[in-house]
Amino acid sequence: MRIPSTQALRALDSFARHGSVWRAADELHLTRSAVSHQLRLLERELGFDLLERIGKGVALTPRGQRYAADVRKALTVLGDAVTQNAGTGVGGSFAVSCTPGFASLFLSTHIAEFRQMYPDVALHILTPRRLDDVSNPEADAFIAFGVGNWPNRAVELLCEVSFTPLCSPTLLNKVGGFSKPADVLRANLLHLGDTEDWARWLALSKVENPDTEGGIFFSDMNLVFSAAIAGQGIAMGDELTGRRALSEGRLVKPFDTAIPSPRSYFLVFEHAKAGHPVLNAFSGWLRSKLSENRL
């Protein structure tokens, strides 16, 4: 049986203890909509109702109360295990080179958990100039975005991604919605580097003779998402790095059509680094977080 994400379980535990979404959001440093979204996802995954509406508020159902009590016990056991095993043999300085978008939009939103698990590790996050660059001699490992061809290096697939249009609710309302794929051309197309992803999506959506050259080009995915969230245009983004903005309602997905990217995220390192305690700890933790955050 698949175990629900720890983020969703923590949202349930916090809601059960505080009795309100806003107090749970404050404790978890999330927005109220993000906590509500986690609870809805958990209900959907479990297949039964956790919450019921009472007047203008919500409360746990009897079954939800029982499940929350079991979750609290499980989280306590996990917390005790981290405390007992932290700092036992895994330590030292370790540098990871990571693509800017992945580092800012995903890794940086979870990295404190790794620090909690391995307090004796001094982890340094670096960013390269190119998404597939694995040349920095100061890095012990790389999270690179490419086709997987890095000769004389150990290469492990982390996750594949698909791209789909993402925009702000403000832009969606401003243009009157997108009823068909060709309607995206009524907004500024936001590009990361080139027009390839937009051209592929428009072709898959059977939009004839689209003009993708007149959009706005950025060198960093953070800038693409910042412009999209500010309502400056529509981005071609992936749901991994865009997950938080989507869950908080700052971005929306107007179409279901997505294109698989020919590139993926890989963990790359020198063969001599294989078996390094920190590398193994970081790799295992990162894979766990990626598994939790798959939509």
Side-chain angles (χ1 to χ4, degrees), residues 130-150:
R130 299 191 323 274
L131 302 182
D132 61 352
D133 183 12
V134 297
S135 64
N136 189 345
E138 297 181 2
D140 296 298
F142 303 83
I143 298 173
F145 190 64
V147 296
N149 182 26
W150 291 279

Side-chain angles (χ1 to χ4, degrees), residues 85-203:
N85 293 284
T88 55
V90 179
S93 180
F94 198 80
V96 178
S97 174
C98 181
T99 60
F102 188 98
S104 174
L105 300 167
F106 180 80
L107 187 59
S108 293
T109 64
H110 300 288
I111 198 63
E113 180 180 297
F114 178 81
R115 170 67 179 172
Q116 180 184 13
M117 294 173 67
Y118 302 98
D120 296 329
V121 174
L123 189 65
H124 301 264
I125 307 298
L126 316 173
T127 55
R129 287 190 173 185
R130 299 191 323 274
L131 302 182
D132 61 352
D133 183 12
V134 297
S135 64
N136 189 345
E138 297 181 2
D140 296 298
F142 303 83
I143 298 173
F145 190 64
V147 296
N149 182 26
W150 291 279
N152 304 317
R153 300 285 183 109
V155 180
E156 299 179 2
L157 177 65
L158 288 175
C159 64
E160 299 172 332
V161 297
S162 295
F163 291 109
T164 190
L166 302 177
C167 67
S168 72
T170 301
L171 177 70
L172 198 64
N173 293 331
K174 182 179 178 180
V175 300
F178 298 119
S179 61
K180 58 184 184 301
D183 289 344
V184 300
L185 300 175
R186 293 192 279 116
N188 290 320
L189 300 186
L190 307 178
H191 305 282
L192 177 62
D194 56 40
T195 64
E196 177 187 350
D197 293 330
W198 266 116
R200 291 178 59 228
W201 187 86
L202 290 165

Side-chain angles (χ1 to χ4, degrees), residues 210-229:
D211 177 16
T212 59
E213 301 297 329
I216 305 172
F217 295 80
F218 299 90
S219 62
D220 189 313
M221 196 63 197
N222 292 293
L223 302 178
V224 175
F225 274 166
S226 292
I229 290 170

Side-chain angles (χ1 to χ4, degrees), residues 5 10 13 35 43 48-49 56 81 87 98 112-113 134 139-140 159 198-200 204 207 215 255 257 271 283 290:
S5 77
R10 285 173 181 153
D13 174 60
V35 171
E43 282 187 321
F48 60 82
D49 292 335
K56 295 183 179 180
C98 181
E113 180 180 297
V134 297
D140 296 298
C159 64
W198 266 116
R200 291 178 59 228
L204 180 64
V207 177
F255 299 100
T257 304
H271 289 287
S283 173
L290 289 169

